[in-house]
Amino acid sequence: MHVLVMGAGVVGITSAWYLRQAGYDVTVVDRQNKAGLETSYANGGQISVSHAEPWANPGTPLKVLKWLTQPDAPILFKPRLDLAQWRWAISFLTQCTSAKAAYNIRQMVNLGTYSRTQLQALRQETGIEYDSLSKGILHFYTNPREFEAALEPARLMRELGCDRQVIDADRAIELEPALAPARHRIVGATYTCEDESGDARKFTQALADLAAAAGVKFRFGTDILGFEHTRDRILGVRTLHEGHYETLHADSYVLSLGSFSAVLARQLGLFLNIYPAKGYSITVPVKEDKAAYQVSLTDDEYKLVYSRLGDRIRVAGTAELNGYDRKLNLTRCRAIVRRTAELMPEAAHWEQAEFWSGLRPATPSNVPYIGRSHLGNLYLNTGHGTLGWTHSCGSAAALVDIIAGKRPEVDFAFAGF
């Protein structure tokens, strides 16, 4: 069977890799000239099963109202004359109940645990290198209310097999001495020793090279314009490459175009409730090695994640719901620098921070679409939000099972089941 994968981010490339390993002929199509150049380019770097509490939870609506007038707020909703935005926002509010948040946590923990295991096996099998660190993830809190609100989700995650332990500030500093300058501000923390970190772009591009060596074909620099299709099947994908129009044919198709999946799916009468949540990151050269963290960190109050990538540090986060615009908002970029420099002033050359923004494909529940669509030969692997790197290997491995007609071994609400 020939499978055409639309998208060469971390989710598309892992899909191509696992499909090829299962014996499929695979072609990957992407508008960029190389893999991993959009949302996977400079994300937070965490393989974070413990980051499974969805944005939609009982405490979020009041926070979002408060943040509406704050340009540097962790989550910024900018109202537009955009039906897709408002439909997404209303659906998001319906997810902000305790019962739905608990259900969504279960989905994300199950998929995250499975995916982390798949990544570890892939790393052992291939020797792939991507500045990986297996030192766990430490969630720290400087606001007592935020810490208190984290206790119940952490308890639920432990029940689901994610060992997110609640610890005090002294233990947090013991685990990560780089937080010592902020000791007086930390009110509590949680620690998940099995979580990891690494450079998603390096991983994506290295895996693309391995996939190409294994026989995967790549059509880079190729825009996907639409489809030729019947009511229940895709017949081909219409593309544009260097001024030439071409229809690419395959037996089956995988949609992994991140935030743009929803736009393309509408041509097929398929509604995917995915909206771009623009996130920001800074990448900064390390200044003092001992002052720069080694354990990956999460600052839940400010919606920031921190990863050490060799001689660089990466801090990423916040969410701006403002359409498909990639323009940098320097107020939000500088807020990330300011917060991090306050906590760890000697960790990096803050004046050399490189800014980046990317469009995360967010669903209202934070749970992605993985599985079959209503068209017999179109499969979905998209809508992973902030956890595309975390969930990529597990999503891809499960999708291969689904294409083969098997039920994946992970307990997850797959599309089409």
Side-chain angles (χ1 to χ4, degrees):
M1 182 189 291
H2 179 204
V3 182
L4 189 148
V5 177
M6 294 171 274
V10 69
V11 174
I13 294 299
T14 50
S15 297
W17 171 260
Y18 282 95
L19 283 163
R20 185 60 188 151
Q21 293 299 295
Y24 295 92
D25 291 331
V26 183
T27 300
V28 177
V29 182
D30 195 274
R31 66 184 179 184
Q32 298 290 349
N33 59 15
K34 197 173 183 179
L37 293 186
E38 295 207 19
T39 305
S40 303
Y41 185 84
N43 71 4
Q46 291 188 338
I47 306 297
S48 179
V49 180
S50 62
H51 201 74
E53 186 178 5
W55 291 345
N57 61 70
T60 300
L62 286 178
K63 290 180 183 177
V64 172
L65 284 175
K66 181 183 71 173
W67 289 335
L68 280 174
T69 58
Q70 298 179 18
D72 60 350
I75 298 177
L76 183 61
F77 179 76
K78 287 192 159 185
R80 301 164 56 94
L81 292 174
D82 181 350
L83 180 61
Q85 184 195 52
W86 284 98
R87 183 188 292 148
W88 189 96
I90 291 168
S91 183
F92 178 87
L93 290 175
T94 69
Q95 295 290 322
C96 291
T97 67
S98 297
K100 289 185 177 179
Y103 174 82
N104 294 332
I105 287 173
R106 180 180 298 276
Q107 300 299 308
M108 290 190 287
V109 168
N110 288 348
L111 181 59
T113 303
Y114 175 68
S115 189
R116 187 177 60 198
T117 300
Q118 293 293 325
L119 171 63
Q120 292 166 350
L122 188 156
R123 187 170 63 227
Q124 184 173 2
E125 173 192 349
T126 64
I128 191 169
E129 295 184 356
Y130 50 92
D131 290 330
S132 62
L133 285 175
S134 300
K135 297 191 174 185
I137 291 180
L138 178 69
H139 290 238
F140 66 90
Y141 299 86
T142 56
N143 182 312
R145 286 176 296 181
E146 292 288 337
F147 179 54
E148 183 69 25
L151 299 181
E152 178 57 21
R155 183 197 64 77
L156 180 55
M157 290 177 204
R158 289 194 299 275
E159 283 187 1
L160 295 170
C162 174
D163 190 24
R164 185 177 171 185
Q165 296 296 322
V166 178
I167 59 176
D168 62 18
D170 289 335
R171 175 59 176 154
I173 303 303
E174 183 182 337
L175 287 166
E176 183 43 82
L179 285 173
R183 168 63 185 84
H184 63 289
R185 303 176 68 172
I186 297 174
V187 298
T190 68
Y191 178 62
T192 310
C193 65
E194 293 183 326
D195 278 345
E196 304 181 4
S197 61
D199 190 320
R201 171 165 48 100
K202 281 190 175 182
F203 172 86
T204 303
Q205 294 178 351
L207 191 62
D209 289 342
L210 291 172
V216 173
K217 300 177 183 66
F218 288 90
R219 300 287 296 263
F220 287 121
T222 301
D223 289 304
I224 297 173
L225 305 178
F227 303 96
E228 293 180 359
H229 63 97
T230 63
R231 181 181 298 179
D232 59 357
R233 290 188 68 79
I234 292 180
L235 303 177
V237 174
R238 293 186 289 105
T239 66
L240 176 64
H241 174 68
E242 295 182 350
H244 299 285
Y245 294 92
E246 183 180 2
T247 299
L248 304 179
H249 301 280
D251 299 302
S252 292
Y253 302 82
V254 175
L255 183 60
S256 295
L257 287 170
S259 296
F260 298 91
S261 295
V263 177
L264 204 61
R266 284 200 289 268
Q267 297 185 26
L268 300 168
L270 175 60
F271 170 66
L272 300 178
N273 200 358
I274 296 171
Y275 195 78
K278 181 163 64 173
Y280 294 86
S281 77
I282 62 171
T283 305
V284 197
V286 169
K287 180 180 179 182
E288 296 287 344
D289 189 66
K290 291 184 178 179
Y293 51 89
Q294 291 280 345
V295 174
S296 192
L297 307 171
T298 297
D299 182 353
D300 275 329
E301 182 181 357
Y302 284 75
K303 306 299 182 194
L304 297 175
V305 299
Y306 306 67
S307 292
R308 178 72 177 267
L309 306 174
D311 60 358
R312 304 164 295 148
I313 65 171
R314 170 77 49 76
V315 187
T318 78
E320 184 177 319
L321 298 161
N322 186 28
Y324 287 81
D325 177 30
R326 282 279 309 277
K327 183 179 178 182
L328 284 174
N329 181 327
L330 292 180
T331 298
R332 299 178 72 74
C333 294
R334 290 167 183 149
I336 297 174
V337 175
R338 184 170 61 251
R339 172 66 171 177
T340 313
E342 286 174 356
L343 296 170
M344 293 169 280
E346 298 302 313
H349 295 282
W350 302 113
E351 73 284 357
Q352 298 179 33
E354 295 180 3
F355 301 147
W356 175 85
S357 70
L359 301 178
R360 307 188 197 95
T363 64
S365 64
N366 284 154
V367 178
Y369 292 97
I370 307 166
R372 297 193 300 256
S373 75
H374 71 287
L375 286 89
N377 62 344
L378 175 65
Y379 297 87
L380 308 174
N381 197 4
T382 190
H384 293 74
T386 60
L387 295 175
W389 181 201
T390 296
H391 289 161
S392 57
C393 288
S395 299
L399 187 69
V400 172
D401 285 338
I402 292 169
I403 292 174
K406 299 185 293 186
R407 176 81 195 194
E409 59 188 68
V410 58
D411 181 13
F412 182 83
F414 292 101
F417 281 85

